[in-house]
Amino acid sequence: MPSRSAAAVTQVELEEPQPATGLQFNEPLSWRAGKAIAVADLLKRLHALSKEMQEMEQEENERDSFTRVAKDLVSPNLLAHKDKGVKALTAACLVDILRLCAPDAPYTGQQLRDIFNVIISQILPALADPSNAYNHQHLYVLSSLAQVKSIVLLADIPSADTLTRNLFQHCFDVVSGSPRSSPAEKVQQNVEVHMTALLACLVDESPTLPPEVVDIIVAQFLRTDPKALNGSGSKNKKNGVVDEKQSILFLKQLPPAYNMARYICNACPQKMARHFSQYFNDVVVDASNSSEQKNPSKSKKRHSDGLEDSDDENGGGPTEQALSDLRKVHGLLRELWRACPGVLQNVIPQLEAELSAENVQLRLLATETLGDIISGIGAAGLPVAPTMDPAAYPSNASLKPSENTVSLNLLTKPSSPQPFPSAHPQAYANYLGRRHDKSALIRAAWTTGVGRILSTSAGGAGLSQQEEDRLISDLNGMLGDADEKVRVAAVKVVANFNFYDVVSKLGRLGGVSDSGSLLATLADRVRDRRHPVREEAMGVLARIWGVAVGEISEENEQIVALLGGIPTKILDTYYTNDIEIMVLLDRVFYEHLLPLSYPPVKAKSSRLPNGNSQGAKESQRSTDKGGEAIDLDKIRTERILLLVKALDERAKKVFYAIQSRQLILSKYMIAYLARCEDYNGGVMEENESSIKENLTRLIKTFAGMLSNPQQATSDLWKFAKLHDRRSYQLIRFCMAPDSDYRTVFRAIKEFTKRVVDASSSSTASNNLLDTLRPLLYRVSLIVYNKSHVPAIMEYSRTDDKSLAATAHEVLREISSQTPEVLKAHVQEICKTLQDEAPSAKKPNDAGAVDNLKACASFASKYPKEIPKDRKFVQAMSNFALYGSPPEAAKYAVSVMWAATEKKESLARDLAEKCINGFSFGADGCLARLATLSQLMLLAPAEMDEQSSDEILDIAIKQTLLQVRQPSKKPADEYEWSPSIDDEGQAKCWALKILVNRIRSHPDAETLKDVAAPVYNLLSTLVEQQGELSKAGDTPSTHKPRLRLLAARLYLKLCTQKAHDALLMPSAFNALTTVVQDSEEAVRSGFLQRLKKYLNQQKLPQRFYVIPFLLAFEPNETLRLDATTWIKSRAVAFTNAKSIGSSTKANTVMESVFARLLSVLSHHPDYANEAEDLIDFARYIIFYLQNVATADNVSLIYHIAQRVKQCRDAVTASPAPDAPPTEADDRLYHLSDLAQITLRKFEDIHNWTIQTLPGKMRLPPSLFSEIRSHAEAQRIAEHHYLPDGVEAGVEDVLKATLRASRAAHHGKKRKVESGDANGRDAKKAKPGLPIRKPPRPKEKKAAGAASKAPKTPKAKKAKESKEPGSESAERRRSGRVKEVEKSYVERDSEEDDEEMEMVDEAVDADGDGPKEEADDSELGSQDVVDGARLDEAVDELVQKAEEQEEAEAAEESEQEPTPTPKPTPTSASSRGKKKSTTSPRSKTKPSPRAKTRATRSRAIAV
């Protein structure tokens, strides 16, 4: 009989030694066959025996007395008895025998097998039913085996694996209970305790465990996985999918079987570690064997060969079944680390080895598993991700960790019993090394894991500051990974952080505006080259800001610094000109930044008299939980104002462009809906072809605004075929200015539902909503809604939360864009203005000017809505006389002029009050000047001659020509000041008086004489850097303001055709230099106004040449803005071609190249030297980068050739047959330079320049034809460029394109410097082309202008003022000829028209002007403008008139004289014309020389 040592069995020590006594029970328990003992008697005897033995102790009896009873108890009569009570009592007696006879059991091995078989198979399973009549005996058997540890005898039984397996199986089944058991029938807690001790004792004493037992223990840890349980245990669940909404049904505490297994593993860590290691190894080996059987040839490859194919996910990997097993066992490891990390001490090294496996799937599993292990994430998976709802009100942002802790399920709450980095440092280090894995899948999984480690603080174990910073830095690096999947994973990681962690952890290195920080890198991803990355990043950033807006409104400095720049980063993506980004921006804007459902509080509804349901009031009001009234419109308005306040200037332009776009697109939508109604679902009784044609054009226009035009076209046709009139009306509700916000929101909501319902039918596309929703967002009045006006006005008055300035700005934009929404509030605005009216002793409120502007914009469209009572008119008169700032007076005059019927009386009365007693410095001086300026524009006919003369005297003699505070600085001092004094403002208003006088001049015949002095004055201000005084003592801060204003007034004048004809090419060339002013504010201000007028198509096409002079712009932001604008205009003209516009309108950007060469030939910095020509090649390269394509490069090259076939017409030519002048020579140099640059550009881009038939007509005001055939032939064959230019151009072109590509991809790549000869570039001119150092030149013959040695341009202005610089003065002054100025441009009709091709082959690209203009023409307008969508839709009648004028101008053009076709010549031939210009008598630099000097200063910034 096997025996156990005394130490293995618990000995019961007696408190007092007693004499040993034997068993007193002496009744028979067994019987012979056929003489069975009655069950009642047997139960009575077994009960007596059990009671007696339970009271006996181990040392107080004689063991021999148990011999007979022990033998009877193991008889088959009792062990196999049918009565459950007999078996229960027998088992109770047997465990007492084992207890009393310990350590030597009085049974053989077979007898012990029979005993344990009964106990394991029948007694222990019966414990699952606490209501069993013999549950007490069952529980006694269990407790005895556990306490006495008699269960260890099972380990001595030979081949007891089956018994051991059954024991573990039944124990875990018992504690698990039945799912159908009621709470009263649950297993008692002591059963779990005794079974746990029983199994732990057996594991500890057993030398080994059967593999089946290990499987059973392992299975208990998967009880925390809801998917595994539901997938295997529920018949109604498919594929184990768990509904997240039913998470409340998950376990709220750990299962008892799980606790038992965890206790066993923690009680015997060494033994279980060996078993688990073998278990894990077997699964991995099986997977490897399946892989070899699947790809036997691949397994024979060398290790190095396998690395090359390691990224192949489909080849060389384990089978699906093996991979499924691997996933299960790796999921098990996650839970084992949470429960008993000690058993994984041998498994972690194996898992670490998987990190270096050749197979991607194994590495991926290992990476994911280790990431979750470190994060303390078990088999139950991740907890529910924190929700950052941007539409929540109040905001759910919290800066306290306790408030951000979600009520997590116990099974999903991350928990790590010990810090993994310190427990397994080598494995942790290898895990961190996976960030450099060559597989993007691995890097993406690693990124996800690192995010979980950070968000969970390593499963609650905590991370050191240094380690946390390292992981944040690594995560920051993955946001810029080369692979799209990794970047997407990194962005999703950030989305899983709660707001507290975003601020406290991710924001530790800086905010979105701090370069290098994680949040800044995330913000950069909104401009990612891949759309999935952009979509994720933009959504995450917008949600973060939407949650943070509550803290931002409270002016939390930390949150504002970290997250305040998010809206700017998002709206800046508008400048990418990417249609996909614009569609995404619309969705993010109206779903996250300004959610339509914000705030999500239901407003009470009421019934209108017509039966329609509407908000309770126009200003929506509801009540919160405390019963206090909530103004929903005010809450929403506050968010709008906070958004606008957070934007920089560039982003504000985008915000306002998005709103102004609604005006344009709503007209197209109205036309589209009208055509859909005419289409009638495809059933038309008349005009079928016309209706279809009009509808096609409109659909093509809308489709061009979406990322998938083909799908959008199909969806828009399907929407038209649906013919849902209710949907048509809902869209009209969204666009109507009289719809309040609740109406718009409900209309969008209902429209969405109707489209979704329609999409579910077989006749509609599932993408219909994706197509229509962006268009609906763009045409709806969401921001500029009438419901927001009262709140905006309230914020403008109270300055609550420092939003007054922003409120005034938004109100000003609303009044200029959609004054219709002010109808309901104009009376309130007028009443406010009446109360705030100034007087001689009381100034007006600072915000009154914005209200006046809003009122003026409204009055221009709805004059009858403006009050006409005496008090209001008197208030406006006070504003006109005493308003501050002066713009208030200007707007007040506009309001009165629009509202009054006695205009003549009003004009004379105001003029008389402003003129009488006028003196500079008096109260209301500036307001009077502004009033006079507006009167000169609005009421020229009402002003008598005497009043006009007095006004001119005030403007010129008393203001413009007076210098009341002479400058003590040098005469050439020129500086910009953020503010300007009253004298400077007075001069600006005086200048406006003069310009407004000629703008409103009614007589076209006398306009030339009246405008000539004003044009002369503007030209002087532009050319003389804002200096008017002959003494040169104008304050230095006035001059930039006056020059900028003069340039802007030039632009305003040229918006009228009659005034544009008076701007001669020479004056226009001087105007172009303003864009190269030394002051950035002047350059940007002029360029902003220029782009505005060009967008509105108010300026002639020659003004498109000015932005191309920004090639040397030192301000990168300004240059990039101009580049984006130019490209967007080029795209717009190209799109115009696709919708049927004329060829002439499509070649605007190409034909302006001739004008650019003409402007460059008269540029103050021009010289025919090689270095200067290489510099000027930068202008041509800048033009080509923004305009040239494979389709138009041939046309541009043709224009460059045509320039060489003409003569310069800007400067007066002595005779048609005279030899070429210096101006002609410059043109020919630039023509050759342009042709060489185009050829190099063509080679780099692998394009082909084709020879075009016919000739391009050049502007006759700039170019004249060469009359002599021989002279034309000689010029065409002569190569004008000096040696070295071609090589220098090639170097500059390559360097420029490299820098452009590096900037495009976000790389900081330094552009190589040095010219073709290896000399260094000048450091004083960053961004300039490569130039050579100064070198001496030989003096020229008498009569020629001597030239000083070349010096860096940045120093020329300074050197010119020093004594002894006469040669430099002569060089500069010699560049400008004295020519007689004239303000009548010859052949102005031809110069206004665009250049066109004579040959039909080129003209055939366009359809020509349309003969009829109806609402279908809306579909052919240019609305697909990437950078600006604020262009107004041209009136159809005006368009027809313009087309008629164009046709008339084309007929008036003269045919050019045929000239020989130029033949390309080699760069080796060289001809050079010398300058014969004589120096001017004065030593003072000429205006053009000063332009050159100031430009040099600007470039040297």
Side-chain angles (χ1 to χ4, degrees), residues 1278-1304:
H1278 186 67
H1279 190 74
Y1280 285 83
L1281 296 180
D1283 292 336
V1285 172
E1286 184 173 359
V1289 168
E1290 184 175 4
D1291 292 341
V1292 172
L1293 179 59
K1294 290 181 179 178
T1296 304
L1297 294 180
R1298 281 199 303 269
S1300 177
R1301 286 193 295 267
H1304 177 71

Side-chain angles (χ1 to χ4, degrees), residues 194 302 349 355 388 432 713 773 789 895 911 955 1236 1350 1478:
H194 291 316
R302 293 179 304 167
L355 292 175
M388 288 194 288
L432 295 182
T713 301
R773 182 163 47 192
V789 174
V895 172
I1236 285 180
K1350 282 245 177 180
S1478 59

Side-chain angles (χ1 to χ4, degrees), residues 1327-1338:
L1328 276 175
I1330 302 164
R1331 299 295 302 273
K1332 295 181 181 180
R1335 65 170 184 265
K1337 294 185 178 181
E1338 297 180 0

Side-chain angles (χ1 to χ4, degrees), residues 112-170:
L112 285 175
R113 181 186 300 276
D114 296 338
I115 293 172
F116 282 111
N117 184 46
V118 172
I119 294 175
I120 293 173
S121 62
Q122 300 183 41
I123 303 302
L124 295 182
L127 288 169
D129 182 13
S131 60
N132 191 293
Y134 299 97
N135 185 65
H136 178 74
Q137 284 74 20
H138 299 158
L139 186 59
Y140 178 78
V141 171
L142 174 63
S143 61
S144 178
L145 290 176
Q147 293 175 358
V148 184
K149 299 184 180 181
S150 304
I151 193 65
V152 299
L153 296 174
L154 186 62
D156 295 334
I157 302 175
S159 302
D161 290 353
T162 302
L163 288 175
T164 306
R165 181 197 63 196
N166 293 337
L167 173 64
F168 278 84
Q169 185 66 56
H170 291 312

Side-chain angles (χ1 to χ4, degrees), residues 842-1045:
K842 184 188 77 170
N844 58 273
D845 186 72
V849 64
D850 295 310
N851 291 335
L852 280 167
K853 184 176 182 180
C855 192
S857 299
F858 181 83
S860 63
K861 291 188 177 182
Y862 305 99
K864 295 182 180 180
E865 302 289 336
I866 300 298
K868 298 178 177 59
D869 57 279
R870 186 180 60 82
K871 290 185 178 180
F872 179 73
V873 174
Q874 181 61 41
M876 292 297 101
S877 298
N878 289 346
F879 272 110
L881 296 174
Y882 306 106
S884 176
E887 286 79 4
K890 169 188 171 182
Y891 297 135
V893 174
S894 298
V895 172
M896 288 189 292
W897 188 258
T900 186
E901 296 178 355
K902 302 178 181 179
K903 299 184 184 298
E904 182 177 357
S905 173
L906 173 66
R908 291 179 178 178
D909 182 57
L910 284 178
E912 183 179 354
K913 291 180 179 179
C914 292
I915 294 172
N916 293 338
F918 178 87
S919 63
F920 179 80
D923 292 338
C925 168
L926 297 179
R928 294 185 181 188
L929 288 174
T931 299
L932 292 175
S933 171
Q934 197 69 358
L935 288 174
M936 295 299 286
L937 177 65
L938 299 176
E942 287 76 6
M943 306 292 292
D944 55 30
E945 185 176 353
Q946 181 180 359
S947 298
S948 298
D949 292 341
E950 292 178 350
I951 293 173
L952 291 179
D953 181 76
I954 292 174
I956 298 174
K957 293 183 179 180
Q958 299 185 39
T959 307
L960 278 175
L961 298 182
Q962 295 292 326
V963 181
R964 293 176 172 81
Q965 297 178 356
S967 175
K968 299 180 181 179
K969 298 181 180 180
D972 61 346
E973 192 71 21
Y974 186 83
E975 59 181 348
W976 180 268
S977 175
S979 60
I980 186 171
D981 56 21
D982 289 348
E983 182 182 359
Q985 293 187 62
K987 290 184 177 182
C988 291
W989 284 109
L991 199 58
K992 292 179 181 179
I993 290 175
L994 301 179
V995 172
N996 286 345
R997 176 172 171 264
I998 62 173
R999 285 177 61 196
S1000 60
H1001 188 72
D1003 190 358
E1005 295 181 358
T1006 61
L1007 175 63
K1008 178 182 64 174
D1009 297 332
V1010 175
V1014 179
Y1015 272 70
N1016 191 11
L1017 176 64
L1018 295 178
S1019 179
T1020 302
L1021 288 172
V1022 170
E1023 295 181 5
Q1024 297 294 334
Q1025 306 287 306
E1027 181 63 76
L1028 274 180
S1029 174
K1030 294 181 179 180
D1033 56 355
T1034 301
S1036 59
T1037 57
H1038 291 182
K1039 291 189 285 187
R1041 296 272 183 175
L1042 291 174
R1043 191 185 193 213
L1044 174 60
L1045 179 60

Side-chain angles (χ1 to χ4, degrees), residues 487-549:
R487 299 196 299 274
V488 170
V491 175
K492 289 182 177 179
V493 161
V494 178
N496 289 329
F497 281 83
N498 58 43
F499 184 76
Y500 171 77
D501 288 338
V502 168
V503 174
S504 62
K505 295 180 180 179
L506 303 186
R508 185 179 300 158
L509 302 180
V512 294
S513 302
D514 300 322
S515 179
S517 68
L518 186 142
L519 293 177
T521 307
L522 175 64
D524 292 340
R525 295 279 65 79
V526 300
R527 303 172 71 97
D528 197 278
R529 59 183 179 271
R530 298 292 184 182
H531 184 69
V533 184
R534 296 193 299 259
E535 185 175 15
E536 289 289 342
M538 201 175 291
V540 170
L541 278 175
R543 287 194 296 272
I544 291 175
W545 186 87
V547 173
V549 73

Side-chain angles (χ1 to χ4, degrees), residues 693-712:
E693 181 182 357
N694 296 340
L695 191 57
T696 300
R697 290 182 179 180
L698 288 165
I699 287 176
K700 189 173 184 180
T701 300
F702 280 125
M705 304 175 191
L706 303 177
S707 56
N708 189 348
Q710 184 177 1
Q711 181 63 46

